[in-house]
Amino acid sequence: MKITAADVFVTCPGRNYVTLKITTDDGLVGYGDATLNGRELSVASYLRDHLVPLLIGRDAARISDTWQYLYRGAYWRRGPVTMTAIGAVDVALWDIKGKAAGLPVYQLLGGAARDGVTVYGHASGAGIDEAVADVARFLAAGYRAVRVQSSVPGLDSTYGIRVGGGLTYEPAADDRPVEDVWDTAAYLDFVPRLVAATRDQLGYGFHLLHDVHHRLTPIEAARLGRSLEPYRMFWIEDSTPAEDQSAFRLIRQHTVTPLAVGEVFNTIWDCKDLIAERLVDYIRTSVPHTGGITHTRRVFDFADTYGVRSGSHGAGDISPIGIAAALHLDLTIPNFGIQEYMGHLDPAGEVFRSGYHLADGMLHLGDEPGIGVQFDEEAAARYPYQARYLPVNRLTDGSMHDW
């Protein structure tokens, strides 16, 4: 089962996605998600210029060897571009292996350990009343877990606010980044009131989450965690910039609110200390950005030995291929926690045909062999790449801050 071709597609059906297609000499095709939001063309180039030439002629069945070849064989290792490119190859090869066996990938990973994958939706609003009403809409739709975000009074814009009636939002801007203004003091005063109102009006019969988005210092994050303790949060996410793993030691000393981090991590070494010292409760690495199924499973297996559960990143900047790959892993691991799910903007459904579906607050995989997502090349060609950037943040004095 030799690889005869590998092709890279960049398309923008609502937002930019990078897809890798690998073809074997017996006609099997596998797909991988190589999307890195805001740096899509860098991964596409890494694949086309550096990895695709190495894939031709390799045995598609030797997934582990190919992973090691692409990782250990490169002097410049790690990082989001490298690991996302390797992740796309890895998922495409798992897709091929499943199709060759006539089985969904989760069966090759040991079979299902649960009936479905619990997901959380993204509720938001222009103020507390609107945000709470949006949480109620998710609960009415069957969600068992909801992340709540709201505009902060006095700020022109706030991260995580959905526009329109869809499940997802598009934070990217054309030409150059939008510059948001941030006020930490206003945020820290506001969020406890938002969470308190949500619990007061909707109760405790569901999981409640909140995303800080890397914006606080360790002591500020500790203060936020302590202020939210009465409201039984499922987690607060990305409370400080993720580069400093030691920051979580201070946060942990001051609050018992569960902590989640990891959507910007790319390898097990980025989160090793956080897990081994039990400084977080959930690790949020995603399959596309963490070297595919092969390496993400290594992260989750390591986390399981320390009682840390998974909570994979699953925003709209991960294509249905990447979401499906995550679901196959979610379904099989013993330490599954929760899966982020935002859905995808139209017309993504024209390009990607996914085999999973949402019911009763869980995503369910079908029995289609492989990953279970089909990619329509003709549809993809109708939506060419559009240059876009994520926003940037400045404090009220004009200095740069983490977005």
Side-chain angles (χ1 to χ4, degrees), residues 238-268:
D238 294 342
S239 52
T240 66
E243 295 92 335
D244 183 6
Q245 295 188 47
S246 65
F248 284 80
R249 295 193 188 106
L250 189 150
I251 303 171
R252 199 58 133 182
Q253 291 171 5
H254 294 284
T255 183
V256 295
T257 294
L259 304 173
V261 74
E263 71 180 57
V264 297
F265 293 163
N266 312 118
T267 69
I268 194 170

Side-chain angles (χ1 to χ4, degrees), residues 267-288:
T267 69
I268 194 170
W269 298 280
D270 298 325
C271 51
K272 177 179 68 69
D273 294 342
L274 287 171
I275 292 170
E277 296 184 36
R278 294 182 172 90
L279 300 178
V280 295
D281 303 279
Y282 298 89
I283 187 67
R284 301 199 64 249
T285 54
S286 64
V287 168

